[in-house]
Coordinates of all heavy atoms in Angstrom, one line a residue:
M1 N 0.8 -1.2 0.0 CA 0.0 0.0 0.0 C 0.9 1.2 0.0 O 1.8 1.4 0.9 CB -0.9 0.0 1.2 CG -1.8 1.2 1.3 SD -2.9 1.3 2.8 CE -1.7 1.5 4.1
D2 N 0.7 2.1 -0.9 CA 1.5 3.4 -1.0 C 0.8 4.4 -0.1 O -0.4 4.5 -0.1 CB 1.5 3.9 -2.4 CG 2.4 3.1 -3.3 OD1 3.1 2.2 -2.8 OD2 2.3 3.3 -4.5
R3 N 1.7 5.1 0.6 CA 1.1 6.2 1.4 C 2.1 7.4 1.3 O 3.3 7.3 1.2 CB 1.1 5.8 2.9 CG 0.0 4.9 3.3 CD -0.1 4.7 4.7 NE -0.3 5.9 5.5 CZ -0.2 5.9 6.9 NH1 0.1 4.8 7.5 NH2 -0.4 7.0 7.5
S4 N 1.5 8.6 1.3 CA 2.3 9.8 1.3 C 2.1 10.5 2.7 O 1.0 10.7 3.1 CB 1.7 10.7 0.2 OG 2.5 11.9 0.2
I5 N 3.2 10.8 3.3 CA 3.2 11.4 4.7 C 4.0 12.7 4.7 O 5.2 12.6 4.2 CB 3.8 10.4 5.7 CG1 2.9 9.1 5.7 CG2 3.9 11.0 7.1 CD1 3.5 8.0 6.6
C6 N 3.5 13.7 5.2 CA 4.3 14.9 5.4 C 4.9 14.9 6.8 O 4.2 14.6 7.8 CB 3.4 16.2 5.3 SG 2.9 16.5 3.6
A7 N 6.2 15.2 6.9 CA 6.9 15.2 8.2 C 7.8 16.4 8.3 O 8.3 16.9 7.3 CB 7.6 13.9 8.4
Q8 N 8.1 16.7 9.5 CA 9.0 17.9 9.8 C 10.5 17.5 9.5 O 10.9 16.3 9.8 CB 8.9 18.3 11.2 CG 9.5 19.6 11.5 CD 9.2 20.0 13.0 OE1 8.8 19.2 13.8 NE2 9.3 21.3 13.2
R9 N 11.2 18.3 8.9 CA 12.6 18.2 8.6 C 13.4 17.9 9.9 O 13.1 18.5 11.0 CB 13.2 19.5 8.0 CG 14.6 19.5 7.6 CD 14.9 20.9 7.1 NE 16.3 21.1 7.0 CZ 17.0 20.9 5.9 NH1 16.4 20.5 4.8 NH2 18.3 21.0 5.9
G10 N 14.3 17.0 9.9 CA 15.1 16.6 11.1 C 14.6 15.4 11.9 O 15.3 14.9 12.7
R11 N 13.4 15.0 11.6 CA 12.9 13.8 12.3 C 13.4 12.5 11.7 O 13.8 12.5 10.5 CB 11.4 13.8 12.2 CG 10.8 15.0 13.0 CD 9.4 14.9 13.3 NE 9.0 13.6 13.9 CZ 7.8 13.1 13.9 NH1 6.9 13.7 13.3 NH2 7.6 12.0 14.5
T12 N 13.5 11.5 12.5 CA 14.0 10.2 11.9 C 12.8 9.5 11.2 O 11.6 9.8 11.5 CB 14.5 9.3 13.0 OG1 13.4 8.9 13.9 CG2 15.6 9.9 13.8
L13 N 13.2 8.7 10.3 CA 12.2 7.9 9.6 C 11.4 7.0 10.5 O 10.2 6.9 10.4 CB 12.8 7.0 8.5 CG 13.5 7.8 7.3 CD1 14.2 6.8 6.4 CD2 12.6 8.7 6.6
L14 N 12.1 6.5 11.5 CA 11.3 5.6 12.5 C 10.3 6.4 13.3 O 9.2 5.9 13.5 CB 12.3 4.9 13.4 CG 11.7 3.9 14.4 CD1 10.9 2.8 13.7 CD2 12.7 3.3 15.4
S15 N 10.6 7.6 13.7 CA 9.7 8.3 14.5 C 8.5 8.7 13.7 O 7.3 8.7 14.2 CB 10.3 9.6 15.1 OG 10.6 10.5 14.2
V16 N 8.7 9.0 12.4 CA 7.6 9.4 11.5 C 6.7 8.1 11.3 O 5.5 8.2 11.3 CB 8.1 10.0 10.2 CG1 7.0 10.2 9.2 CG2 8.8 11.3 10.4
A17 N 7.4 7.0 11.1 CA 6.7 5.7 10.8 C 5.8 5.4 12.0 O 4.6 5.0 11.9 CB 7.7 4.6 10.5
K18 N 6.4 5.5 13.2 CA 5.6 5.1 14.4 C 4.4 6.0 14.6 O 3.3 5.5 14.9 CB 6.6 5.2 15.6 CG 7.5 4.1 15.7 CD 8.7 4.3 16.7 CE 8.2 4.6 18.1 NZ 9.4 4.8 19.0
E19 N 4.6 7.3 14.4 CA 3.5 8.3 14.6 C 2.4 8.0 13.6 O 1.3 8.3 13.9 CB 4.1 9.7 14.4 CG 3.1 10.8 14.7 CD 3.7 12.1 14.6 OE1 4.5 12.5 15.5 OE2 3.5 12.8 13.5
N20 N 2.8 7.5 12.4 CA 1.8 7.3 11.4 C 1.4 5.8 11.2 O 0.8 5.5 10.2 CB 2.3 7.9 10.1 CG 2.3 9.4 10.1 OD1 1.3 10.1 9.9 ND2 3.5 9.9 10.4
H21 N 1.7 5.0 12.2 CA 1.3 3.6 12.2 C 1.8 2.8 11.0 O 1.1 2.0 10.5 CB -0.2 3.5 12.4 CG -0.7 4.3 13.5 ND1 -0.5 3.9 14.8 CD2 -1.4 5.4 13.6 CE1 -1.1 4.8 15.6 NE2 -1.6 5.8 14.9
V22 N 3.0 3.2 10.5 CA 3.6 2.5 9.4 C 4.4 1.3 10.1 O 5.2 1.6 11.0 CB 4.5 3.3 8.6 CG1 5.3 2.5 7.5 CG2 3.8 4.5 8.0
P23 N 4.2 0.1 9.7 CA 4.7 -1.1 10.4 C 6.2 -1.4 10.1 O 6.5 -2.4 9.5 CB 3.8 -2.2 10.0 CG 3.4 -1.8 8.6 CD 3.3 -0.3 8.6
V24 N 7.1 -0.5 10.6 CA 8.5 -0.7 10.5 C 8.9 -1.6 11.7 O 8.6 -1.2 12.9 CB 9.3 0.6 10.5 CG1 10.8 0.3 10.6 CG2 9.0 1.4 9.3
H25 N 9.6 -2.7 11.5 CA 10.0 -3.5 12.6 C 11.2 -2.9 13.3 O 12.1 -2.4 12.7 CB 10.3 -4.9 12.1 CG 10.9 -5.8 13.2 ND1 10.0 -6.4 14.1 CD2 12.1 -6.2 13.5 CE1 10.7 -7.1 14.9 NE2 12.0 -7.0 14.6
F26 N 11.2 -2.9 14.6 CA 12.3 -2.4 15.4 C 12.3 -3.1 16.8 O 11.2 -3.5 17.2 CB 12.3 -0.9 15.5 CG 11.2 -0.4 16.3 CD1 11.3 -0.2 17.7 CD2 10.0 -0.1 15.7 CE1 10.2 0.3 18.4 CE2 8.9 0.4 16.4 CZ 9.0 0.6 17.8
E27 N 13.5 -3.2 17.4 CA 13.5 -3.8 18.7 C 14.1 -3.0 19.8 O 13.8 -3.1 20.9 CB 14.3 -5.2 18.6 CG 13.5 -6.2 17.7 CD 14.3 -7.4 17.4 OE1 15.4 -7.7 18.1 OE2 13.9 -8.2 16.6
C28 N 15.0 -2.0 19.4 CA 15.7 -1.3 20.5 C 15.2 0.2 20.6 O 15.7 0.9 21.4 CB 17.2 -1.3 20.2 SG 17.8 -0.3 18.9
D29 N 14.2 0.5 19.8 CA 13.6 1.8 19.8 C 14.6 3.0 19.6 O 14.6 4.0 20.3 CB 12.9 2.0 21.2 CG 11.8 3.1 21.0 OD1 11.4 3.4 19.9 OD2 11.3 3.5 22.0
G30 N 15.5 2.7 18.7 CA 16.4 3.8 18.3 C 17.7 3.9 19.0 O 18.5 4.9 18.8
N31 N 18.1 2.9 19.7 CA 19.4 3.0 20.4 C 20.5 2.4 19.5 O 21.7 2.3 20.0 CB 19.3 2.2 21.7 CG 18.4 2.8 22.7 OD1 18.4 4.0 22.8 ND2 17.6 2.0 23.3
M32 N 20.2 2.0 18.3 CA 21.2 1.4 17.4 C 21.9 0.2 17.9 O 23.1 0.1 17.7 CB 22.2 2.5 16.8 CG 22.6 2.1 15.4 SD 23.5 3.2 14.4 CE 24.3 4.4 15.4
T33 N 21.2 -0.6 18.6 CA 21.7 -1.9 19.1 C 21.2 -3.1 18.3 O 21.8 -4.1 18.3 CB 21.5 -2.1 20.6 OG1 20.1 -2.0 20.9 CG2 22.3 -1.0 21.4
C34 N 19.9 -2.9 17.8 CA 19.3 -4.1 17.2 C 19.6 -4.2 15.7 O 19.7 -5.3 15.2 CB 17.8 -4.1 17.5 SG 16.9 -2.9 16.5
G35 N 19.6 -3.1 15.0 CA 19.8 -3.2 13.5 C 18.6 -3.7 12.8 O 18.8 -4.0 11.6
T36 N 17.5 -3.8 13.4 CA 16.3 -4.4 12.7 C 15.4 -3.4 12.0 O 14.5 -3.8 11.3 CB 15.5 -5.2 13.7 OG1 15.0 -4.3 14.7 CG2 16.3 -6.3 14.4
C37 N 15.7 -2.1 12.2 CA 14.7 -1.1 11.7 C 15.0 -0.7 10.3 O 14.6 0.4 9.9 CB 14.7 0.1 12.7 SG 16.3 0.9 12.7
Y38 N 15.7 -1.5 9.5 CA 16.1 -1.0 8.2 C 15.0 -0.9 7.2 O 14.0 -1.6 7.3 CB 17.2 -1.9 7.6 CG 16.9 -3.3 7.5 CD1 16.2 -3.8 6.4 CD2 17.1 -4.2 8.6 CE1 15.9 -5.2 6.3 CE2 16.8 -5.5 8.5 CZ 16.2 -6.0 7.3 OH 15.8 -7.3 7.2
V39 N 15.1 0.1 6.3 CA 14.2 0.3 5.3 C 15.0 0.5 4.0 O 16.2 0.8 4.0 CB 13.3 1.6 5.5 CG1 12.4 1.3 6.7 CG2 14.1 2.8 5.7
K40 N 14.3 0.4 2.9 CA 15.0 0.6 1.6 C 14.5 2.0 1.1 O 13.3 2.3 1.1 CB 14.6 -0.4 0.6 CG 15.3 -0.3 -0.7 CD 15.1 -1.4 -1.7 CE 15.9 -1.2 -2.9 NZ 15.5 -2.2 -4.0
I41 N 15.5 2.8 0.7 CA 15.2 4.2 0.1 C 15.1 4.0 -1.4 O 16.1 3.8 -2.1 CB 16.3 5.2 0.5 CG1 16.6 5.1 2.0 CG2 16.0 6.6 0.1 CD1 15.4 5.3 2.9
E42 N 13.9 4.2 -1.8 CA 13.6 4.1 -3.3 C 14.0 5.3 -4.0 O 14.5 5.2 -5.2 CB 12.1 3.8 -3.5 CG 11.6 2.5 -2.9 CD 11.9 1.3 -3.8 OE1 11.1 1.1 -4.7 OE2 12.9 0.6 -3.5
R43 N 13.8 6.5 -3.4 CA 14.3 7.8 -4.0 C 14.6 8.7 -2.9 O 14.0 8.7 -1.9 CB 13.1 8.3 -4.9 CG 12.9 7.6 -6.2 CD 11.8 8.1 -7.0 NE 11.6 9.5 -6.8 CZ 10.6 10.2 -7.4 NH1 9.7 9.6 -8.2 NH2 10.5 11.5 -7.2
G44 N 15.5 9.6 -3.2 CA 15.8 10.7 -2.3 C 16.8 10.4 -1.2 O 16.9 11.1 -0.2
M45 N 17.8 9.5 -1.5 CA 18.8 9.2 -0.5 C 19.6 10.5 -0.1 O 20.0 10.6 1.1 CB 19.8 8.1 -1.0 CG 20.8 7.7 0.0 SD 20.2 6.8 1.4 CE 20.2 5.1 0.8
E46 N 19.7 11.4 -1.1 CA 20.4 12.6 -0.8 C 19.7 13.5 0.1 O 20.2 14.5 0.6 CB 20.8 13.3 -2.1 CG 19.6 13.9 -2.9 CD 18.8 12.9 -3.7 OE1 19.0 11.7 -3.6 OE2 17.9 13.3 -4.4
N47 N 18.4 13.2 0.4 CA 17.6 14.0 1.3 C 17.5 13.4 2.7 O 16.6 13.8 3.4 CB 16.2 14.2 0.7 CG 16.2 15.1 -0.5 OD1 17.0 15.9 -0.7 ND2 15.3 14.8 -1.4
L48 N 18.5 12.6 3.0 CA 18.6 12.0 4.4 C 19.9 12.4 4.9 O 20.9 12.6 4.2 CB 18.4 10.5 4.3 CG 17.1 10.0 3.9 CD1 17.2 8.5 3.7 CD2 16.0 10.3 5.0
S49 N 20.0 12.5 6.3 CA 21.3 12.7 6.9 C 22.2 11.5 6.5 O 21.8 10.4 6.2 CB 21.1 12.7 8.4 OG 20.5 11.5 8.9
R50 N 23.5 11.8 6.6 CA 24.5 10.7 6.2 C 24.5 9.6 7.2 O 24.4 9.9 8.4 CB 25.9 11.4 6.1 CG 26.0 12.2 4.9 CD 27.5 12.7 4.8 NE 27.6 13.6 3.7 CZ 27.9 13.2 2.4 NH1 28.2 12.0 2.2 NH2 28.0 14.1 1.4
A51 N 24.8 8.4 6.7 CA 24.9 7.3 7.6 C 26.3 7.3 8.4 O 27.3 7.6 7.7 CB 24.8 6.0 6.8
T52 N 26.3 7.0 9.6 CA 27.5 7.0 10.4 C 28.2 5.6 10.1 O 27.6 4.7 9.6 CB 27.3 7.1 11.9 OG1 26.5 5.9 12.3 CG2 26.6 8.4 12.2
E53 N 29.4 5.5 10.5 CA 30.2 4.3 10.4 C 29.5 3.1 11.1 O 29.3 2.0 10.7 CB 31.6 4.4 10.9 CG 32.5 3.3 10.5 CD 32.6 3.1 9.0 OE1 32.7 4.1 8.3 OE2 32.7 1.9 8.6
E54 N 29.0 3.4 12.3 CA 28.3 2.4 13.1 C 27.0 1.9 12.4 O 26.7 0.8 12.4 CB 27.9 3.1 14.5 CG 27.4 2.1 15.5 CD 27.1 2.7 16.8 OE1 27.3 3.9 17.0 OE2 26.6 1.9 17.7
E55 N 26.3 2.9 11.8 CA 25.1 2.4 11.1 C 25.5 1.6 9.9 O 24.9 0.5 9.6 CB 24.3 3.7 10.6 CG 23.0 3.3 9.8 CD 22.3 4.4 9.2 OE1 22.6 5.6 9.5 OE2 21.4 4.2 8.4
R56 N 26.5 2.0 9.2 CA 27.0 1.2 8.0 C 27.4 -0.3 8.5 O 27.1 -1.2 7.7 CB 28.1 1.8 7.3 CG 27.6 2.9 6.4 CD 28.7 3.3 5.4 NE 28.6 4.7 5.1 CZ 29.3 5.7 5.8 NH1 30.2 5.3 6.6 NH2 29.1 6.9 5.5
E57 N 28.0 -0.4 9.6 CA 28.4 -1.7 10.1 C 27.1 -2.6 10.3 O 27.1 -3.7 10.0 CB 29.2 -1.5 11.4 CG 30.6 -1.1 11.2 CD 31.3 -0.7 12.4 OE1 30.9 -1.1 13.5 OE2 32.3 0.0 12.4
H58 N 26.1 -2.0 10.9 CA 24.8 -2.7 11.1 C 24.3 -3.2 9.8 O 23.9 -4.4 9.6 CB 23.8 -1.9 11.8 CG 23.8 -1.9 13.3 ND1 23.5 -3.0 14.0 CD2 24.2 -0.9 14.1 CE1 23.6 -2.7 15.3 NE2 24.1 -1.4 15.4
L59 N 24.3 -2.3 8.8 CA 23.7 -2.7 7.5 C 24.6 -3.7 6.8 O 24.1 -4.7 6.2 CB 23.6 -1.4 6.6 CG 22.6 -0.4 7.1 CD1 22.8 0.9 6.3 CD2 21.2 -0.9 7.1
N60 N 25.9 -3.6 6.9 CA 26.8 -4.6 6.3 C 26.6 -6.0 6.9 O 26.7 -7.0 6.2 CB 28.2 -4.1 6.4 CG 28.6 -3.0 5.5 OD1 27.8 -2.7 4.6 ND2 29.6 -2.2 5.9
R61 N 26.4 -6.0 8.2 CA 26.2 -7.3 8.9 C 25.0 -8.1 8.3 O 25.0 -9.3 8.4 CB 26.0 -7.1 10.4 CG 27.2 -7.3 11.2 CD 27.0 -7.2 12.7 NE 27.8 -6.0 13.1 CZ 27.3 -5.1 13.9 NH1 26.1 -5.1 14.4 NH2 28.1 -4.1 14.3
R62 N 24.1 -7.3 7.8 CA 22.9 -7.9 7.3 C 22.9 -8.0 5.7 O 21.9 -8.3 5.1 CB 21.6 -7.1 7.7 CG 21.4 -7.2 9.2 CD 20.2 -6.3 9.6 NE 20.1 -6.4 11.0 CZ 19.3 -7.3 11.7 NH1 18.7 -8.3 11.0 NH2 19.3 -7.3 13.0
D63 N 24.1 -7.7 5.2 CA 24.3 -7.8 3.7 C 23.3 -6.9 3.0 O 22.8 -7.3 1.9 CB 24.2 -9.2 3.2 CG 25.4 -10.0 3.6 OD1 26.5 -9.5 3.7 OD2 25.2 -11.3 3.8
L64 N 23.0 -5.7 3.6 CA 22.1 -4.8 2.9 C 22.9 -3.9 2.0 O 24.0 -3.6 2.3 CB 21.3 -4.0 3.9 CG 20.4 -4.9 4.8 CD1 19.8 -4.1 6.0 CD2 19.2 -5.4 4.0
T65 N 22.2 -3.4 0.9 CA 22.9 -2.5 0.0 C 23.0 -1.1 0.5 O 22.4 -0.8 1.5 CB 22.2 -2.6 -1.4 OG1 20.9 -1.9 -1.2 CG2 21.9 -4.0 -1.9
D66 N 23.6 -0.3 -0.3 CA 23.7 1.2 0.0 C 22.3 1.8 -0.1 O 22.2 3.0 0.3 CB 24.7 1.9 -1.0 CG 26.1 1.5 -0.7 OD1 26.4 0.9 0.4 OD2 27.0 1.8 -1.6
A67 N 21.4 1.2 -0.6 CA 20.0 1.7 -0.7 C 19.2 1.6 0.6 O 18.1 2.1 0.7 CB 19.2 1.1 -1.9
H68 N 19.8 1.0 1.6 CA 19.1 0.8 2.8 C 19.6 1.7 3.9 O 20.8 2.1 3.9 CB 19.3 -0.7 3.3 CG 18.6 -1.7 2.5 ND1 19.2 -2.1 1.3 CD2 17.4 -2.3 2.6 CE1 18.3 -3.0 0.7 NE2 17.3 -3.1 1.5
R69 N 18.8 2.0 4.8 CA 19.2 2.8 6.0 C 18.5 2.3 7.2 O 17.4 1.7 7.1 CB 18.7 4.3 5.8 CG 19.4 5.0 4.7 CD 20.9 5.3 5.0 NE 21.1 5.9 6.3 CZ 21.2 7.2 6.5 NH1 21.0 8.1 5.5 NH2 21.4 7.7 7.7
L70 N 19.1 2.5 8.4 CA 18.4 2.2 9.6 C 17.4 3.4 9.8 O 17.8 4.6 9.9 CB 19.3 2.1 10.8 CG 20.3 1.0 10.8 CD1 21.2 1.0 12.1 CD2 19.6 -0.4 10.7
S71 N 16.1 3.1 10.0 CA 15.1 4.2 10.0 C 15.3 5.0 11.3 O 14.8 6.1 11.3 CB 13.7 3.6 9.9 OG 13.5 2.7 11.0
C72 N 15.9 4.4 12.3 CA 16.0 5.2 13.6 C 17.2 6.2 13.5 O 17.3 7.1 14.4 CB 16.2 4.3 14.8 SG 17.8 3.5 14.8
Q73 N 18.0 6.1 12.5 CA 19.2 7.0 12.3 C 19.0 8.0 11.2 O 19.6 9.0 11.3 CB 20.4 6.1 12.1 CG 20.7 5.1 13.2 CD 20.9 5.8 14.6 OE1 21.6 6.8 14.7 NE2 20.1 5.4 15.6
A74 N 18.3 7.6 10.2 CA 18.2 8.5 9.0 C 17.2 9.6 9.3 O 16.0 9.4 9.6 CB 17.7 7.7 7.8
R75 N 17.7 10.9 9.2 CA 16.9 12.0 9.5 C 16.5 12.7 8.2 O 17.3 12.8 7.3 CB 17.6 13.0 10.4 CG 17.8 12.5 11.8 CD 18.4 13.5 12.7 NE 18.5 12.9 14.0 CZ 17.5 12.8 15.0 NH1 16.4 13.3 14.7 NH2 17.7 12.2 16.1
L76 N 15.3 13.2 8.1 CA 14.7 13.8 6.9 C 15.3 15.2 6.7 O 15.4 16.0 7.6 CB 13.2 13.9 7.1 CG 12.4 12.7 7.0 CD1 11.0 12.9 7.4 CD2 12.4 12.2 5.5
L77 N 15.8 15.4 5.5 CA 16.2 16.7 5.0 C 15.4 17.2 3.8 O 15.6 18.3 3.4 CB 17.7 16.6 4.6 CG 18.7 16.1 5.7 CD1 20.1 15.9 5.1 CD2 18.7 17.0 6.9
G78 N 14.6 16.3 3.3 CA 13.8 16.6 2.1 C 12.9 15.4 1.8 O 12.7 14.5 2.6
D79 N 12.4 15.4 0.6 CA 11.5 14.3 0.1 C 12.2 13.0 -0.1 O 13.3 13.0 -0.7 CB 10.8 14.7 -1.2 CG 9.8 15.9 -1.0 OD1 9.5 16.2 0.2 OD2 9.4 16.4 -2.0
V80 N 11.7 12.0 0.4 CA 12.2 10.6 0.2 C 11.0 9.7 -0.1 O 9.9 9.9 0.3 CB 13.0 10.1 1.4 CG1 14.2 10.8 1.6 CG2 12.1 10.0 2.7
E81 N 11.4 8.6 -0.8 CA 10.4 7.5 -1.0 C 11.0 6.3 -0.4 O 12.1 5.9 -0.7 CB 10.2 7.3 -2.5 CG 9.1 6.4 -2.9 CD 8.9 6.4 -4.4 OE1 8.7 7.4 -5.0 OE2 8.9 5.3 -4.9
V82 N 10.3 5.7 0.6 CA 10.8 4.6 1.4 C 10.0 3.3 1.2 O 8.7 3.4 1.2 CB 10.7 5.0 2.9 CG1 11.2 3.9 3.8 CG2 11.5 6.3 3.1
L83 N 10.7 2.2 1.1 CA 10.0 0.9 1.1 C 10.2 0.2 2.4 O 11.4 0.1 2.8 CB 10.6 0.1 -0.1 CG 9.9 -1.3 -0.3 CD1 8.5 -1.2 -0.7 CD2 10.7 -2.0 -1.4
V84 N 9.2 -0.2 3.1 CA 9.3 -0.8 4.3 C 9.6 -2.3 4.0 O 8.8 -3.0 3.4 CB 8.0 -0.7 5.2 CG1 8.1 -1.5 6.5 CG2 7.7 0.8 5.5
V85 N 10.7 -2.8 4.5 CA 11.2 -4.2 4.2 C 11.4 -5.0 5.4 O 11.6 -6.2 5.3 CB 12.4 -4.1 3.3 CG1 12.1 -3.6 1.9 CG2 13.5 -3.4 3.9
S86 N 11.7 -4.4 6.5 CA 12.1 -5.2 7.7 C 10.9 -5.8 8.4 O 9.8 -5.4 8.2 CB 12.9 -4.3 8.7 OG 12.1 -3.3 9.2
Ligands
FES2 S1 15.5 0.6 16.3 FE1 17.3 -0.7 16.8 S2 18.8 0.0 15.4 FE2 17.1 1.2 14.9

């Protein structure tokens, strides 16, 4: 199901998902210990905050591509299109 959601700049994808009842799986509620909250960025990767080395390590452990981000770490800077995969 496609949904369009407006959200404030600077918020994380996970906080926006939770507020809008989008079913992103997560276990540590944003502490970056579980690595389960990943999503695929279909468009607009440049409109997200940069991934830290720690986030990249989580994604690499799961063999995820550069198109993925941990939703609890990626902050909105503009329009993005996100596929919920976790
Ligand atoms: S919620 Fe655990 S790493 Fe994002």
Side-chain angles (χ1 to χ4, degrees):
M1 177 179 70
D2 290 349
R3 283 183 63 188
S4 181
I5 297 170
C6 287
Q8 194 173 20
R9 183 183 166 94
R11 295 197 52 203
T12 66
L13 295 178
L14 182 60
S15 70
V16 174
K18 286 165 59 178
E19 185 177 285
N20 290 279
H21 309 288
V22 176
V24 174
H25 177 78
F26 63 93
E27 294 175 10
C28 75
D29 206 15
N31 295 319
M32 209 169 22
T33 55
C34 73
T36 60
C37 65
Y38 57 89
V39 292
K40 185 174 183 191
I41 309 304
E42 298 277 277
R43 288 180 27 186
M45 184 64 89
E46 69 279 9
N47 291 331
L48 292 171
S49 59
R50 288 185 183 269
T52 63
E53 192 60 37
E54 188 178 359
E55 180 184 350
R56 278 197 216 94
E57 286 172 15
H58 273 290
L59 297 170
N60 288 341
R61 260 183 245 136
R62 293 175 183 274
D63 288 330
L64 295 169
T65 69
D66 288 346
H68 293 82
R69 293 293 307 271
L70 293 182
S71 62
C72 71
Q73 300 302 308
R75 292 187 180 276
L76 288 166
L77 304 174
D79 291 344
V80 294
E81 192 175 304
V82 178
L83 181 65
V84 175
V85 292
S86 64

